[in-house]
Structures are given as C-alpha cells and as structure tokens.
Amino acid sequence: MDLSRPYTVICPTLEGPVLEVLAHTTRPLTGRGVARLASRGSERGVRLVLHRLVAQGLVTAREAGSASLFVLNREHVAAGIVEGLVRLRAELIERIRGEVEGWSSRPVHVSVFGSAARADGRMESDIDLLIVRPEDLTEDDPQWREQLHRLAERIERWSGNHASLHEVSTKGLEAAVRRGEPVIASLRDASIVLAGPEIADLVAHRRERAIT
C-alpha cells in the first residue's frame, strides 16, 4: 500500500486526491483551491473530476459570484467510504497498536518510525517498528518470538507492505542512543509511539536509575 496516498489501493485516478482534499475540510473550495491542495493533475482535470462527482451527488456545488464552490456531501451513502479511504494509514497504525496492546509479554516501548510515520512511504516501502524488549526477557523467549512473528505477518496482510522490526533490549537501546545509530536519528525525525514512554524519557529514566 502506498502510505503517502493509501486511497490509491482502490481509487488510483485523480478522483482520489480530489476526494482526499474535500474529506479533510468542511469549508467550500473553488476548483482552483482543490487543484492547489491536491497537488496532482491539472486544474482542468480537477474541475472535470469535481463536475463528475457533483453529477453523482457525492459533491455539492454552489455559485459564488463567478466561481463555483465545492464541498463533500457527507449525507451521501458513499461519504463514509471516502472518509475511510483517506484515513487508511491511521487505521493501519491503530491496528498495529491494538495488536501490541494484546501481547501477554509486554514490551517496554513500541513505535512506528521512518516513512510510515512521515506518511511518505510508497508501495515498496517497509513499515519500520522499534520494539524494546524488557531486560528480564530473553531474546529467544518462545512467546516473545511468536508475538513478533505474528505482528510482522499481520502487518503484511493488512497493508501489503513488509514489516521491518528493529528489536533491542533496554540496554541495547541506550547503547544505540549513545552511538548515535541511524535508527535513532530516524526515530527523532519522525515516530509514532504505540506503547510505552517516549524514547528520550525511557533513556533518561534508565540513566537516573543507574546514577541512584
């Protein structure tokens, strides 16, 4: 799935970005305004799409002087489907969160980072997760390994994207931060915490414990 434009999994045409723009606002927009926000297709192409959607009743139009103002008709039976399409990335992240929350062997921290967090991933992009394992849990613990395997499998089933799980212990995380490893820079650039504290808070807490 293209995480920068997840609606293309079903709607790969210009209708997709037009509907995405309209789904994210209740403010009436001119055709030029929709084209500017969509950042795809020509203004003429966007206007043709808008008029097709008006003919279907999914978009309503009203005249304002010499301009037409367009807005998504949220009473249309298809409006809920449109809103669902434009929030597919958020739905995927919530599914991952729900899966992690159901683990019996609890992680210290889980976060999505990289292109999935920045919302600029493509169809071929991995979905990167940092997973911090408690110190009292061995890396080869069968239940822990099964949780990770199931998570990776489900992410691929949910999205079509490969899941890249970066697993470390709490000590391993502290060492990675100290060495300034690329994964830490990527986390600082963009990440979405799914479980546990922020990375900075987690590392700071460990340092405080070491001092005391």
Side-chain angles (χ1 to χ4, degrees), residues 14-41:
L14 187 54
E15 275 81 355
V18 169
L19 287 169
E20 181 183 35
V21 168
L22 295 177
H24 281 132
T25 184
T26 57
R27 181 169 59 91
L29 297 170
T30 63
R32 179 175 295 177
V34 174
R36 178 175 54 80
L37 293 171
S39 299
R40 286 178 176 83

Side-chain angles (χ1 to χ4, degrees), residues 160-174:
N161 300 77
H162 174 72
S164 183
L165 307 185
H166 303 260
E167 179 203 356
V168 295
S169 65
T170 49
K171 286 182 180 177
L173 173 66
E174 190 173 3

